[in-house]
Amino acid sequence: MTQPDSNGAPWREVSKREVCPVCERPDWCAVTGPEGNPDAAYCMRTPSDLAKGEGWIHPLKDRCLNPSSHQGVPRRKSPSAAKAATQDTSDAKAKDATVYATADDAVASYARQFGKPDRQWRYRDADGETVLVVVRWNAKADRKKEIRPVRRVAGGWSKEQPPAGRPIYRLPELLASEETVYVTEGEPAADALISLGLTATTSSGGSAAADKSDWSPLAGREVVVVPDNDEVGAKYAGAVLALLGKLTNPPTVRVVELPGLPAKGDAVDWLADGHTADELARIVTSIEPAELPTPNRSHAWKPFPADVLPACLREYVVEVARVVQVDPSMAALPGLVVAASAIGGSRVVALGDDWREPSILWG
């Protein structure tokens, strides 16, 4: 492929020395611009967001050519090759099993596909170690919004979400504070409230993944949930309430629907409209705590009532439980069966004129 683009730079096929910066493969694709630092890629596996006809060109730099003016771009492969390319596109969307040395290296791999990220948020564990990086590319004329994760794994970093039990955002700061914790849907809204000097957090993975995070650090705390002004925001708030209700020591939670928000608006929009921290505080104090959904506890454990046993049997049950280090019920059950057998038919309980129950227990 030696056809030049509209600036005269030729397209060249990728190789093992210079792989495609989009799919990271050494074949099928082409690049243009300086070797090792190309201006654009023509990926045969991964479609771009550009208009039909130019939808395989991926601009890699702000100074890259306007795709609509490209001349002599590489031709798509034959139908048989296109079929293979379709299969490769599916493969490209599969999990990238590469383990990168650092989080920055993994983010750089994304950047070769989407360009320089607009925002990054780091999630840290209770010890302050970064375990997850959430990377965002804002929507632009030639692309949609993209949000991608990078997580710590054995030996480095991987381009994937962590499993369930993820730390919530700004966990070390939350643990170090005794103030009210504000929960938002997304990092930008949390950052907006943090800029007011408040303690704020959120969960990673989007509005539908609240259950993938560990909310136990909020047990017993004063919590304010600030949802986005849309159906998704309401569902997220409901999911958070349900999760907080499952904690052994549930927090006191208030749900604040910020007044005057536009559709799909959040705390960022509310503060940008001139509202203040004092105004938010007044709203919070005017709202009664929400009633948290609680799990069905009808089968909650209750201690065995050893005190109702006869003295000799009670002493036996308590001592066996202490020595063997088991629950008293473990000693009481066989003890009651033996006692019932000893009584045998010498005593019966009259439950009615013609209903007699002997002392028989099955355990």
Side-chain angles (χ1 to χ4, degrees):
M1 297 178 186
T2 59
Q3 301 104 321
D5 61 24
S6 59
N7 280 357
W11 289 91
R12 60 185 177 278
E13 293 185 358
V14 297
S15 63
K16 291 184 178 179
R17 189 177 76 173
E18 185 182 27
V19 300
C20 174
V22 178
C23 67
E24 300 183 339
R25 303 285 187 88
D27 54 2
W28 293 101
C29 310
V31 293
T32 182
E35 184 172 353
N37 187 25
D39 295 326
Y42 192 93
C43 183
M44 298 293 190
R45 297 180 174 90
T46 306
S48 72
D49 294 327
L50 302 185
K52 184 176 181 181
E54 304 291 347
W56 301 89
I57 298 175
H58 297 259
L60 303 176
K61 300 178 182 178
D62 292 337
R63 64 183 179 84
C64 183
L65 304 172
N66 180 352
S68 63
S69 66
H70 274 203
Q71 301 293 329
V73 296
R75 295 178 60 84
R76 294 288 296 157
K77 300 292 183 180
S78 64
S80 59
K83 181 178 180 180
T86 300
Q87 179 64 45
D88 285 335
T89 299
S90 176
D91 293 342
K93 292 180 179 178
K95 174 185 172 182
D96 180 357
T98 304
V99 175
Y100 297 85
T102 67
D104 290 339
D105 289 340
V107 172
S109 177
Y110 278 135
R112 288 193 289 271
Q113 181 176 355
F114 302 114
K116 182 180 179 181
D118 294 293
R119 298 285 299 275
Q120 294 187 43
W121 294 276
R122 293 180 178 265
Y123 283 71
R124 293 174 289 161
D125 61 18
D127 297 324
E129 292 293 326
T130 300
V131 295
L132 168 67
V133 180
V134 176
V135 192
R136 169 171 167 159
W137 292 261
N138 296 332
K140 293 185 178 180
D142 60 345
R143 72 180 184 206
K144 62 182 180 180
K145 179 179 74 175
E146 295 284 352
I147 299 177
R148 300 299 174 96
V150 169
R151 79 174 181 103
R152 185 186 293 275
V153 295
W157 292 81
S158 178
K159 293 160 60 175
E160 60 181 337
Q161 284 283 7
R166 306 166 190 169
I168 52 179
Y169 184 50
R170 304 270 298 186
L171 177 60
E173 291 82 0
L174 186 156
L175 295 175
S177 169
E178 297 182 356
E179 302 297 324
T180 297
V181 180
Y182 290 77
V183 177
T184 67
E185 181 196 336
E187 297 88 359
D191 287 344
L193 297 181
I194 291 169
S195 70
L196 299 178
L198 303 174
T199 300
T201 188
T202 188
S203 55
S204 64
S207 60
D211 61 339
K212 298 297 189 296
S213 292
D214 176 13
W215 296 92
S216 62
L218 299 187
R221 302 288 294 262
E222 292 284 336
V223 174
V224 176
V225 179
V226 188
D228 291 3
N229 185 31
D230 56 15
E231 183 179 353
V232 174
K235 288 183 178 180
Y236 180 76
V240 172
L241 290 179
L243 292 165
L244 296 180
K246 293 180 180 180
L247 299 180
T248 303
N249 182 18
T252 300
V253 184
R254 292 173 171 82
V255 180
V256 171
E257 297 180 359
L258 297 174
L261 274 184
K264 299 185 178 182
D266 59 13
V268 176
D269 303 299
W270 196 73
L271 295 178
D273 202 30
H275 298 285
T276 64
D278 290 340
E279 186 177 353
L280 178 58
R282 289 193 296 271
I283 295 173
V284 171
T285 55
S286 69
I287 295 175
E288 293 295 322
E291 183 175 349
L292 295 179
T294 55
N296 183 358
R297 302 186 186 277
S298 60
H299 301 293
W301 175 87
K302 295 180 181 179
F304 184 84
D307 57 303
V308 303
L309 297 174
C312 62
L313 185 54
R314 177 173 65 248
E315 182 179 352
Y316 168 80
V317 166
V318 171
E319 284 302 305
V320 168
R322 182 184 66 81
V323 173
V324 184
Q325 296 186 352
V326 296
D327 186 84
S329 63
M330 300 291 287
L333 180 59
L336 287 171
V337 171
V338 171
S341 299
I343 295 172
S346 63
R347 297 290 187 273
V348 295
V349 177
L351 299 176
D353 293 341
D354 57 354
W355 185 0
R356 300 292 187 270
E357 282 291 341
S359 178
I360 298 176
L361 293 177
W362 300 88

